[in-house]
Amino acid sequence: MTTRILQGRTAFVTGGSRGIGAAVARALGEHGADVAVNYHSNAAAAEAVTAHVIAHGGKAVAVQGDAGDAGQVERMTEQARAALGDINVLVCNVIGDTRALGALFRATGSVVDSLDRVRGVREVTTTALDAALLACHFVVPQMRRRGGGSIVFIGASGTHSSTPGLAEVSVAKSAQDALARSLAVELAPDGIRVNTVAPGLVPTDANAGPHQEQMIQRVEGATPAGTVTTVDEVADTVVALASDLGRRVTGVFVPLDGGRTLT
């Protein structure tokens, strides 16, 4: 049985049709929020998430668009506002093209040994920052009208540790961490809290494939708790930070990696 601790809130989740984003959107709806689910191309997956929210008594809308394009983000946030009202919970989940993650985990050598990986660091970082900055730019005015809100960035605990082959993600998410800290200070007078939830490896369809089991074994072997993080565990933490349970929490980095960042 779930609580309704987000009753009356309106959430916008970027990259909300699959994996972590979908789990977060479903959990927000289960706890009472109305939810706008951003997706890029998989309309059926987004509609399945909105149907879940509606089945749990909330309102939901799927909004298609590129989270890294200013015009499309403006359109999507306005569609969400028109359908559900002003947004006061924003979850920034987009990082870019996740199809390359398998190649990253199989990579050998330094990130500077290949021009493709050098370019990859720059491209992933730009995409992640654009998606976070644009969503905040267009949603913050809505939060101000509502007297406050909660922004949650989905980060990566690897920014505080080191995972071979994942420099692209670590650099991009490190930049996002810095953005979150800056916004936490800048937006605090508006009653807007900004926090980062930073899981370790989370098995999803985005990193599925023959390499996934190797990834899981590698991470479990290096993790004090001996387990990887699930999408539902990430979602539960987002719900807490978006609700009044986290009303005095801002500017924090919450690692969800079973203690790996401590080793």
Side-chain angles (χ1 to χ4, degrees), residues 5 9 19 119 136:
I5 57 175
R9 286 175 169 81
R119 295 187 186 101
C136 291

Side-chain angles (χ1 to χ4, degrees), residues 4-22:
R4 307 292 289 179
I5 57 175
L6 296 176
Q7 192 74 43
R9 286 175 169 81
T10 300
F12 184 89
V13 182
T14 67
S17 65
R18 299 168 53 203
I20 291 173

Side-chain angles (χ1 to χ4, degrees), residues 155-211:
S157 69
T159 62
H160 287 209
S161 61
S162 178
T163 301
L166 278 182
E168 290 86 342
V169 174
S170 295
V171 173
K173 292 296 188 178
S174 293
Q176 184 180 275
D177 293 348
L179 173 62
R181 290 192 298 272
S182 295
L183 288 179
V185 173
E186 293 175 0
L187 299 179
D190 297 307
I192 298 171
R193 299 180 293 107
V194 186
N195 296 291
T196 296
V197 173
L201 172 65
V202 180
T204 68
D205 62 343
N207 54 44
H211 59 283

